[in-house]
Amino acid sequence: MTDAELARYYPDDYWGNADEPSQKWIESSQSEKTRFLNDLFCGSALSQISILDVGCGAGFFLRALNSKKWDPYGVEISQSAAKVAERALGGGHVFAGGLIDGAWPDSKFDVVTLWSA
């Protein structure tokens, strides 16, 4: 899809204007995904696993990960959602735009996720 075609599915108000959810809610809402990844990497020798979430939205999935184990990054086409994720994850961790336009070096990430819900 072109950027214009994709943008029709994700208008500026797609993420809503609701108050910021609690960390407890974020962790609960993302528990199935985080449990899946933790099960896959429970025996990993890596001290910190770099992860890129494509279409990260406001970063809820990345924010639910244990920061001692995971080094979270995201890419998001919605400028407003990317700003929320960047505030939560820290500078340089979220790219606002398309995946191909991201400027991260090859082989930077140990894991790349693309969740549909």
Side-chain angles (χ1 to χ4, degrees):
M1 297 178 101
T2 67
D3 289 345
E5 291 169 326
L6 194 56
R8 288 193 319 234
Y9 294 96
Y10 299 98
D12 288 339
D13 63 351
Y14 177 79
W15 297 102
N17 296 319
D19 292 334
E20 180 72 12
S22 69
Q23 184 64 26
K24 183 177 179 178
W25 180 88
I26 290 171
E27 290 172 7
S28 174
S29 72
Q30 303 300 310
S31 63
E32 186 174 313
K33 296 172 190 173
T34 57
R35 188 170 33 255
F36 172 75
L37 281 181
N38 287 328
D39 287 349
L40 284 176
F41 291 93
C42 67
S44 174
L46 297 171
S47 60
Q48 195 167 43
I49 303 168
S50 62
I51 184 168
L52 173 66
D53 188 27
V54 178
C56 71
F60 293 160
F61 164 65
L62 295 170
R63 291 157 64 177
L65 295 169
N66 180 338
S67 62
K68 291 179 182 167
K69 182 173 184 172
W70 299 94
D71 186 18
Y73 291 82
V75 61
E76 173 56 49
I77 62 168
S78 165
Q79 296 291 318
S80 57
K83 285 180 187 177
V84 172
E86 181 80 1
R87 271 195 310 268
L89 296 172
H93 282 257
V94 178
F95 177 76
L99 175 62
I100 294 173
D101 301 319
W104 291 299
D106 291 348
S107 303
K108 174 169 178 57
F109 302 105
D110 302 308
V111 179
V112 176
T113 56
L114 299 99
W115 304 109
S116 65

